[in-house]
């Protein structure tokens, strides 16, 4: 299967999965005793945070591979940038959906809770990382310093995940407790939650593949623009 | 159903959908910018005769 077809297949599966998640989440799953219909936010909010973690994990691994002399290649730098940008989109959506949850359950749009604060910090850290990538300079130097920044920013990811257990938090414990291997929902609710995790992960993969392509096209455009400028200069007799 | 729930789903749909569309549009624009540079120079065609 060609790469284009694979990306299309991933995108189609992701779209179908998200539609199924919406249908199950909005119309099929039951209301919760404690939260009523608000529990339906559960099928989108944790999966946004999960995908953001996956995206930053990918940026971390790609940056590590770029910094490692034996595996150093521009594609790892490109992948790190693409993944981090998609991660920032998902972190933004985590903050907004979390804010909606906070307004309805805690009565406030925002509070300086450890989980919320560390998540906001994560958002700002990766925005800074994306800004750093845009600072002009020698491509190799930019890629190296961006890779180091990605490694530093990733330190906040486990802090966000464990913040609800490390500190007293308004936020309930994670619905999917990876450390304790425990799931706090069952039946159709657990299935919908699982489906949302898989579907949004596929959407992440599709978005990252397209962002990667865009980065490759922009690089080619810059290279060709440079070649064209050099040719013009040569024609003018400025360069030998 | 609570309006907050609908708002949450709407935000996710608009956020991800908008980002996806912007990526595809930027990709298309980048491809369009790259193509003319590779094309051989277009020969000048004779202008069509004026209809009387």
């Amino acid at each position: 299967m060609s790469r284009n077809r694979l990306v299309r297949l991933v995108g189609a599966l992701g779209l179908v999965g998200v539609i199924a998640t919406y249908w199950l989440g909005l119309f099929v799953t039951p209301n919760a005793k404690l939260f009523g219909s608000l529990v339906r936010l559960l099928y989108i909010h944790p999966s946004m945070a999960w995908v953001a973690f996956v995206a930053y994990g990918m940026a971390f691994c790609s940056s590590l591979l770029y910094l490692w002399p034996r595996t150093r290649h521009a594609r790892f730098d490109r992948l790190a940038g693409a993944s981090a940008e998609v991660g920032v989109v998902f972190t933004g959506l985590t903050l907004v959906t979390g804010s909606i949850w906070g307004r309805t359950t805690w009565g406030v749009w925002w509070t300086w809770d450890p989980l919320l604060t560390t998540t906001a910090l994560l958002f700002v850290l990766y925005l800074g990382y994306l800004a750093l990538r845009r600072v002009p300079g020698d491509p190799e130097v930019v890629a190296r310093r961006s890779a180091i920044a990605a490694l530093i920013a990733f330190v906040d990811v486990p802090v966000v995940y464990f913040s609800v257990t490390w500190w007293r938090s308004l936020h309930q414990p994670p619905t999917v407790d990876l450390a304790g291997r425990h799931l706090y929902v069952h039946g159709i609710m657990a299935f919908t939650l699982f489906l949302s995790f898989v579907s949004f992960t596929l959407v992440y993969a599709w978005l990252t593949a397209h962002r990667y392509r865009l980065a490759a096209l922009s690089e080619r455009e810059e290279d060709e623009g440079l070649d064209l400028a050099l040719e013009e200069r040569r024609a003018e007799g400025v360069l030998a | 159903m609570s309006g907050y729930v609908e708002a949450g789903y709407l935000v996710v749909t608009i956020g991800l959908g908008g980002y996806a569309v912007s990526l595809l549009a930027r990709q298309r624009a980048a491809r369009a910018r790259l193509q003319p540079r590779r094309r051989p120079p277009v020969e000048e065609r004779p202008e069509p005769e004026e209809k009387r």
Side-chain angles (χ1 to χ4, degrees):
Chain A
M1 190 187 282
S2 73
R3 201 176 289 176
N4 273 356
R5 276 191 176 182
L6 183 68
V7 171
R8 269 187 214 146
L9 180 69
V10 166
L13 286 175
L15 186 65
V16 170
V18 168
I19 292 169
T21 303
Y22 277 26
W23 176 65
L24 289 170
L26 289 171
F27 306 111
V28 178
T29 50
N31 286 346
K33 279 181 189 170
L34 188 61
F35 298 112
S37 70
L38 289 175
V39 76
R40 295 173 198 283
L41 285 171
L42 179 80
Y43 310 118
I44 49 168
H45 174 64
S47 43
M48 292 296 113
W50 155 258
V51 174
F53 290 167
V54 169
Y56 297 143
M58 179 64 86
F60 176 83
C61 294
S62 306
S63 301
L64 215 56
L65 285 168
Y66 183 81
L67 287 175
W68 194 257
R70 282 186 182 180
T71 51
R72 179 164 297 168
H73 196 282
R75 65 170 169 252
F76 291 121
D77 171 58
R78 222 178 284 144
L79 181 60
S83 191
E85 188 180 293
V86 178
V88 165
V89 172
F90 275 93
T91 311
L93 291 172
T94 306
L95 288 169
V96 175
T97 52
S99 185
I100 292 170
W101 174 264
R103 177 71 184 87
T104 53
T105 52
W106 311 328
V108 286
W109 290 104
W110 181 262
T111 176
W112 293 104
D113 175 85
L115 180 67
L116 275 68
T117 309
T118 50
T119 309
L121 180 67
L122 193 70
F123 185 64
V124 173
L125 277 171
Y126 278 94
L127 273 182
Y129 166 78
L130 293 178
L132 191 68
R133 292 185 66 84
R134 286 173 175 264
V135 174
D138 179 51
E140 275 193 26
V141 176
V142 173
R144 204 176 307 135
R145 70 180 172 215
S146 302
I148 293 167
L151 299 187
I152 294 168
F154 188 76
V155 172
D156 193 34
V157 171
V159 177
V160 171
Y161 184 79
F162 290 108
S163 62
V164 283
T165 46
W166 287 348
W167 297 292
R168 281 187 178 189
S169 175
L170 264 177
H171 198 282
Q172 66 273 25
T175 314
V176 182
D177 185 2
L178 294 174
R181 293 183 180 178
H182 188 77
L183 196 62
Y184 290 91
V185 285
H186 306 281
I188 187 76
M189 296 171 89
F191 175 76
T192 311
L193 184 65
F194 177 72
L195 183 66
S196 82
F197 274 57
V198 174
S199 309
F200 284 112
T201 306
L202 288 172
V203 170
Y204 151 76
W206 185 84
L207 288 171
T208 305
H210 278 279
R211 185 63 191 85
Y212 179 93
R213 272 186 202 168
L214 180 62
L217 282 171
S218 303
E219 277 172 30
R220 213 162 68 189
E221 206 181 338
E222 273 176 30
D223 289 347
E224 287 189 11
L226 194 67
D227 288 345
L228 208 68
L230 284 171
E231 272 174 33
E232 280 172 7
R233 289 275 169 168
R234 279 199 190 101
E236 286 168 9
V238 176
L239 291 175
Chain B
M1 197 185 303
S2 166
Y4 288 108
V5 174
E6 286 164 1
Y9 278 76
L10 201 65
V11 163
V12 171
T13 310
I14 292 172
L16 290 181
Y19 181 62
V21 169
S22 82
L23 276 185
L24 292 177
R26 282 160 70 194
Q27 234 180 77
R28 205 173 167 177
R31 284 214 175 95
R33 279 196 302 271
L34 274 168
Q35 266 177 353
R37 288 179 191 170
R38 288 179 181 172
R39 244 182 254 161
V42 181
E43 289 175 17
E44 281 186 19
R45 292 176 189 171
E47 283 185 15
E49 285 182 21
E50 281 182 22
K51 284 180 184 174
R52 288 182 185 176

